[in-house]
Amino acid sequence: MALNRTAKNLDNAEVLSRQISRKLNLGQPRQSNCSVPQRTRHPTEPVIAKNQEVRTTSPLHPDPEDDFPVTMRCLMNWLLLLCAGLLEICWAVGLKYTEGFTRLWPSVGVVLAMSVSLGLLGIAMKTLPSDTAYAVWVSVGIVGTALVGMFFLDEPASAGRLLSLALIIAGVIGLKLSSAA
């Protein structure tokens, strides 16, 4: 009797494991980094017949007849990420001029640049891989801020600093290349 119950529990666990795997799409090939996620039906939405036309307008669920290809959306998100990184340079350099947030206008500019930079990062991360997007955003800020400091703020440009910046860039390129596979 107890042996029967154990066998039944194992069968239930196996069925449950298969159901979870099916739900999570385990074993399925990984989608590309810039693919648009498939739209799933909300339980309150009516079931639509296959021959009915469905049009969506969300940026994550574009119109299938849209002329704006997914690769162009991906390129747009990389450009947004670059702009977010450039704004990070602005606010990082601007912090020097706020004097501990005691000066009004430099402080307002820094807070505005921080907000827009973070907002653009969030938009770009909708379709880009989060680890790569964040690494690119941070590295553009680090390298850009260091270069602005060296060229315009009379900070030293030693061989060690330049080598360190080159290693940061190489690390981000390596991260990008390894996430594309």
Side-chain angles (χ1 to χ4, degrees):
M1 185 77 162
L3 189 60
N4 246 350
R5 214 176 298 149
T6 305
K8 194 178 229 181
N9 287 341
L10 286 175
D11 288 340
N12 288 342
E14 187 176 323
V15 169
L16 183 62
S17 173
R18 276 193 227 131
Q19 289 173 345
I20 291 172
S21 295
R22 218 174 291 128
K23 284 274 190 196
L24 296 176
N25 290 328
L26 295 178
Q28 300 293 327
R30 187 169 178 243
Q31 293 181 348
S32 69
N33 291 335
C34 291
S35 64
V36 177
Q38 294 296 316
R39 184 174 184 277
T40 56
R41 187 179 70 81
H42 191 272
T44 59
E45 283 183 298
V47 177
I48 298 171
K50 287 185 178 180
N51 60 355
Q52 285 182 321
E53 184 177 328
V54 178
R55 299 191 77 140
T56 58
T57 56
S58 167
L60 289 178
H61 313 293
D63 185 354
E65 297 172 9
D66 192 1
D67 292 335
F68 202 60
V70 172
T71 55
M72 196 63 169
R73 289 184 208 292
C74 185
L75 179 62
M76 293 288 292
N77 284 321
W78 281 108
L79 290 174
L80 287 176
L81 187 60
L82 179 64
C83 291
L86 293 174
L87 284 170
E88 185 183 5
I89 297 168
C90 292
W91 68 256
V93 171
L95 281 173
K96 183 173 188 125
Y97 298 103
T98 64
E99 295 177 8
F101 290 99
T102 58
R103 296 181 59 206
L104 177 64
W105 294 115
S107 299
V108 169
V110 164
V111 170
L112 185 63
M114 282 179 175
S115 302
V116 175
S117 177
L118 199 58
L120 291 176
L121 173 65
I123 292 169
M125 288 178 83
K126 284 183 178 179
T127 57
L128 299 177
S130 60
D131 59 342
T132 306
Y134 184 71
V136 168
W137 179 67
V138 169
S139 65
V140 167
I142 291 170
V143 173
T145 303
L147 292 176
V148 166
M150 288 179 207
F151 287 114
F152 300 108
L153 302 175
D154 296 325
E155 293 179 3
S158 66
R161 291 184 77 182
L162 294 174
L163 178 65
S164 298
L165 292 175
L167 288 173
I168 291 171
I169 293 169
V172 171
I173 290 171
L175 186 61
K176 170 62 180 131
L177 292 176
S178 67
S179 69

